[in-house]
Amino acid sequence: LTDEQIETLLKAAMAAPTAMNMQPWSFVVLTDTSAFDKIFEGNRRGEIYKKAAATVVFCGDTLATMRSRETGEMETRPNKFWVQDVTLSVENFLLAAKSMGLGAVYTACYPDYQLVGNVKKGLGLPDSVLPLCVVPVGYPADNPEPKDKWKPEKIHYNKW
Ligand SMILES: Cc1cc2nc3c(=O)[nH]c(=O)nc-3n(C[C@H](O)[C@H](O)[C@H](O)COP(=O)(O)O)c2cc1C
């Protein structure tokens, strides 16, 4: 992947909506696969990430600093929406990748605390920042048809 392609994907990610427009995300782009052995030791995922052109760790800040409505002072509070915010950026990234002829997949990290701890330590994330997921991206080996997930019974009108 070129730097431009990665930037285009991350621009799409950063276009996602976030609660109070906090944009609590950070992205760690891994192109050096040597880091993977330590982080994903004994986990078969490490091998999958190594095959990708790049792997992006989607992170979120669990704390938000903003002006208090009550006191008018700046204060730091837990950001209860960080998971939703970062997840929406992942979906934008996945859709952008597809539109560019690339393949990418959401692989879970948070809330598996063992994996979260390993990734956090391996990448040197700041205390308040957690890794939500790990997304390998590259040119897909095949191009399967989208799955048909349409189930009308999942839809309710006016009441359940
Ligand atoms: C929260 C979440 C966690 C996921 N974790 C993994 C994972 O660890 N490994 C993996 O191969 N796919 C993972 N996926 C991808 C799903 O398996 C995939 O989206 C699902 O099977 C539907 O397939 P599709 O996206 O091709 O339609 C995850 C998806 C989500 C939303």
Side-chain angles (χ1 to χ4, degrees):
L1 292 190
T2 64
D3 290 348
E4 288 73 27
Q5 282 173 306
I6 292 177
E7 192 174 307
T8 301
L9 292 167
L10 292 174
K11 274 186 181 158
M14 289 192 222
T18 54
M20 291 171 287
N21 196 20
M22 292 295 295
Q23 302 169 33
W25 43 55
S26 296
F27 310 90
V28 182
V29 182
L30 301 170
T31 51
D32 173 9
T33 55
S34 65
F36 293 12
D37 291 329
K38 228 166 77 191
I39 299 175
F40 301 106
E41 205 176 15
N43 189 318
R44 69 183 175 86
R45 287 162 173 233
E47 296 308 312
I48 296 167
Y49 302 148
K50 277 187 190 174
K51 286 188 196 155
T55 296
V56 181
V57 182
F58 283 73
C59 304
D61 201 328
T62 58
L63 295 179
T65 301
M66 61 180 111
R67 198 167 292 285
S68 160
R69 281 198 193 133
E70 295 86 41
T71 65
E73 300 291 317
M74 294 302 281
E75 62 174 25
T76 300
R77 288 188 187 178
N79 177 6
K80 59 186 175 186
F81 294 114
W82 77 270
V83 171
Q84 290 91 324
D85 293 343
V86 180
T87 305
L88 287 165
S89 82
V90 178
E91 180 70 343
N92 274 15
F93 184 101
L94 297 178
L95 292 171
K98 179 74 183 166
S99 77
M100 292 160 66
L102 300 170
V105 63
Y106 187 125
T107 64
C109 190
Y110 181 88
D112 175 334
Y113 270 93
Q114 195 178 350
L115 212 44
V116 166
N118 288 349
V119 173
K120 203 167 154 51
K121 196 165 149 224
L123 300 180
L125 303 185
D127 282 348
S128 65
V129 174
L130 293 182
L132 176 79
C133 66
V134 180
V135 178
V137 56
Y139 286 94
D142 57 9
N143 197 12
E145 285 294 306
K147 300 175 182 76
D148 182 359
K149 301 181 197 173
W150 173 245
K151 289 186 184 134
E153 67 274 20
K154 292 281 184 183
I155 305 167
H156 307 272
Y157 290 96
N158 301 322
K159 69 181 181 75
W160 185 274

